[in-house]
Amino acid sequence: MPYCTQADLVERFGADEILAIARDETGMAIDTAVVERACEDASGEIDGYVSAAGYPVPLSPVPRILIANACDIARYRLYDEHASDQVQKRYDDAVKFLKSVSRGEVRLGISTGPASSSAGSVQMNSGRRAFNGGGF
């Protein structure tokens, strides 16, 4: 599941901008398949960085900062080679943040491993002998 959606992009950047960079063949609507692919690509890029830090991917729940980064990355991908300086800077900032996460300099505030369970835990039971005798 991607870390951002078309609705997230529209909320952050406006319907007019998303329509301008992801028009369907009619030119009147947003091409949802193109937007979904950009969101999936952004999520894959994020997974590459956060998995290097030991986080299990895909992340669930997704930290809000990663939703914002996913939107910036997806937007950059939608612009392709026509990205403005602002779009480029936001993409670069997202990648810089993700590199910090991958190096362990920034923590996401979520578990880096599977949920803890009692399997494999050490338990103490005083009052009973595990071994009796044997010369040890």
Side-chain angles (χ1 to χ4, degrees):
M1 181 173 152
Y3 298 143
C4 69
T5 64
Q6 180 173 313
D8 293 327
L9 292 172
V10 168
E11 180 182 325
R12 288 180 185 275
F13 308 119
D16 290 341
E17 181 177 350
I18 303 307
L19 177 62
I21 58 177
R23 289 186 194 275
D24 68 4
E25 62 278 348
T26 69
M28 303 299 288
I30 295 171
D31 188 331
T32 57
V34 169
V35 172
E36 286 174 3
R37 186 170 46 252
C39 290
E40 289 169 3
D41 290 347
S43 298
E45 188 169 342
I46 290 169
D47 281 349
Y49 286 106
V50 300
S51 66
Y55 293 100
V57 294
L59 297 172
S60 181
V62 181
R64 290 192 55 76
I65 187 67
L66 290 186
I67 295 170
N69 284 325
C71 286
D72 288 337
I73 294 168
R75 179 187 187 205
Y76 172 79
R77 290 180 175 274
L78 288 169
Y79 269 102
D80 203 18
E81 71 269 359
H82 304 293
S84 68
D85 289 343
Q86 179 204 31
V87 172
Q88 179 72 53
K89 180 173 180 354
R90 288 178 72 143
Y91 171 78
D92 292 343
D93 288 346
V95 170
K96 183 179 177 183
F97 173 80
L98 293 169
K99 285 180 179 179
S100 293
V101 170
S102 73
R103 291 189 298 263
E105 298 167 353
V106 175
R107 305 288 303 159
L108 296 176
I110 58 176
S111 174
T112 57
S116 61
S117 68
S118 62
S121 63
V122 176
Q123 297 181 354
M124 300 287 289
N125 187 356
S126 63
R128 284 187 2 159
R129 288 185 143 168
F131 301 99
N132 66 6
F136 295 125

